[in-house]
Amino acid sequence: MDISLLEKSRLRLQQECDQQRTPAERNRLGQFATPFALAREIVSLSLDLLAKDQPVRFLDPAFGTGSFHSALMQVCRHGVASARGFEIDPHYGQPASCLWMGTGLQLEIADFTATVPEEPCASLLICNPPYVRHHHLSSEDKQRLREISERTGFKPSGLAGLYCYFILLAHRWLLPGAVSAWLVPSEFMDVNYG
């Protein structure tokens, strides 16, 4: 399998999908692709933090077209035990499923925040979560996300963006000793403990 050829195909796919959406649509949905060079650097640093005897069980909760998965395939020399991704938007998810078919990736076209793992399964979680601002979330989604998040012991502010919920809800997926890396905006997360 030529991983560099797959990355070239992924980049073309990303450009095609992005061009079919207006910047306003992508902004409202929080869709900002991670440049491959940055994805590769984040993956490399994250793998350095993972215990050497820990099998790589990769998870990306906001997969897009798979820049982190592509970087992992190029950087991880000792193999990946499993790879899983979630992409809520079929516009990106369906073509990405076709692109990565045969690589061992389990990509679900589903809402990560509405999916509950049977048990923790990820030793390496890397994500560029959707930057959907709170005013773009429906009242029903805000309520559902707040209720689920409160079960983690945190009570997010009503002004929390979707990425905050991704971070809180990801903990239920992590194995002991797992490493998670998040590409988040510079603003801080306003969380009430209680």
Side-chain angles (χ1 to χ4, degrees), residues 8-143:
K8 287 178 185 173
S9 297
R10 187 204 66 78
L11 188 55
R12 270 194 310 276
L13 175 64
Q14 181 72 51
Q15 291 168 343
E16 289 169 10
C17 288
D18 285 350
Q19 288 171 354
Q20 294 168 2
R21 292 264 167 94
T22 66
E25 289 173 315
R26 290 180 39 236
N27 183 45
R28 188 179 55 79
L29 297 171
Q31 296 170 327
F32 300 97
T34 306
F36 181 74
L38 178 58
R40 187 178 169 102
E41 185 174 339
I42 291 169
V43 167
S44 293
L45 292 170
S46 299
L47 285 170
D48 287 346
L49 296 173
L50 192 64
K52 300 302 177 210
D53 62 343
Q54 177 85 300
V56 176
R57 299 189 182 285
F58 175 73
L59 174 64
D60 183 346
F63 193 81
T65 60
S67 62
F68 289 119
H69 178 63
S70 182
L72 180 68
M73 291 179 64
Q74 287 192 17
V75 170
C76 189
R77 301 286 180 226
H78 58 277
V80 176
S82 65
R84 187 172 185 183
F86 287 88
E87 177 51 52
I88 194 169
D89 188 350
H91 177 74
Y92 290 89
Q94 294 294 349
S97 289
C98 293
L99 175 68
W100 297 111
M101 192 177 297
T103 65
L105 171 71
Q106 179 188 352
L107 180 58
E108 297 178 44
I109 312 299
D111 182 350
F112 171 73
T113 68
T115 307
V116 179
E118 292 179 19
E119 60 186 4
C121 59
S123 64
L124 181 66
L125 185 152
I126 304 178
C127 185
N128 179 355
Y131 301 122
V132 177
R133 300 169 100 187
H134 74 92
H135 57 272
H136 288 306
L137 296 172
S138 70
S139 297
E140 296 81 19
D141 275 342
K142 282 184 184 182
Q143 182 63 32

